[in-house]
Amino acid sequence: MQSYITFEFCNWNNPTHTTAFLELLNHYMLDPMGDHEPLSIEKQLELIDGLKNHPTAEVLLMKKNDYYAGMTTIFTNYSTFNIKPYLYIHDVVVLDTFRGQGLGKHLIKHLTDVAKERGCCKLSLEVREDNPGAQKVYRELGFKECEPKMFYWEKKI
């Protein structure tokens, strides 16, 4: 059987989509790169409501054959310098059982096409310093460290 890859933007009113999203996200949270406990049912409902009502949040689900194998959460931002929108990639998930098959590349390539179709000036993302596998994929797809080098800072509240 020849495998095929398809993409679907998450429809929060579709229980299959919300279940796939939550399973993929919890898988990511349990991964060493996610380093987080899975969400409780209460927090899952809160997250879905938050994403559903966020004006620029979207989730792109990726299927290999008929199985949800990966996803990415994105937010549309706006570049004041380029006077165009851009996509910020927040989460990238490929299930362990599908890793090493190039699915992460397919996911980001498809997202690049989406950004081009929408007239975006760029895609941006953050990647952990201790995740060389993801860094390799991103480099192969044309991503590079910002020049001048930028730091990702946070203030937890």
Side-chain angles (χ1 to χ4, degrees):
M1 178 173 117
Q2 184 176 358
S3 65
Y4 58 96
I5 299 166
T6 57
F7 301 92
E8 302 169 358
F9 277 101
C10 186
N11 174 348
W12 298 115
N13 297 316
N14 179 335
T16 302
H17 283 181
T18 55
T19 298
F21 165 73
L22 291 169
E23 287 175 357
L24 288 159
L25 185 66
N26 279 326
H27 177 82
Y28 178 40
M29 289 176 150
L30 286 169
D31 188 272
M33 290 301 119
D35 193 26
H36 199 279
E37 291 296 315
L39 297 175
S40 67
I41 298 295
E42 180 181 278
K43 289 293 183 185
Q44 289 177 18
L45 294 172
E46 185 180 336
L47 173 62
I48 289 170
D49 187 57
L51 289 172
K52 186 178 185 177
N53 291 300
H54 191 285
T56 72
E58 295 178 274
V59 171
L60 180 64
L61 298 166
M62 176 179 57
K63 290 173 87 173
K64 180 171 182 183
N65 298 322
D66 292 320
Y67 196 83
Y68 289 100
M71 66 107 183
T72 182
T73 305
I74 60 171
F75 296 87
T76 302
N77 285 325
Y78 196 81
S79 170
T80 54
F81 287 17
N82 292 302
I83 314 170
K84 289 185 177 185
Y86 70 93
L87 296 183
Y88 171 71
I89 303 168
H90 185 65
D91 301 309
V92 177
V93 182
V94 175
L95 290 176
D96 288 347
T97 55
F98 291 95
R99 290 185 185 162
Q101 300 176 30
L103 294 183
K105 284 184 183 178
H106 282 290
L107 184 58
I108 300 300
K109 283 180 181 178
H110 185 77
L111 198 52
T112 301
D113 292 341
V114 168
K116 287 177 185 175
E117 289 170 10
R118 293 180 180 184
C120 293
C121 62
K122 67 179 178 178
L123 294 165
S124 70
L125 55 81
E126 59 193 69
V127 60
R128 286 177 51 146
E129 184 178 36
D130 61 346
N131 193 346
Q135 290 175 27
K136 180 179 183 284
V137 169
Y138 298 144
R139 275 192 202 93
E140 289 173 359
L141 292 170
F143 286 83
K144 60 182 179 178
E145 212 172 285
C146 297
E147 293 176 25
K149 185 175 182 174
M150 301 290 205
F151 294 98
Y152 180 75
W153 288 24
E154 69 180 1
K155 178 181 178 180
K156 293 191 177 183
I157 301 174

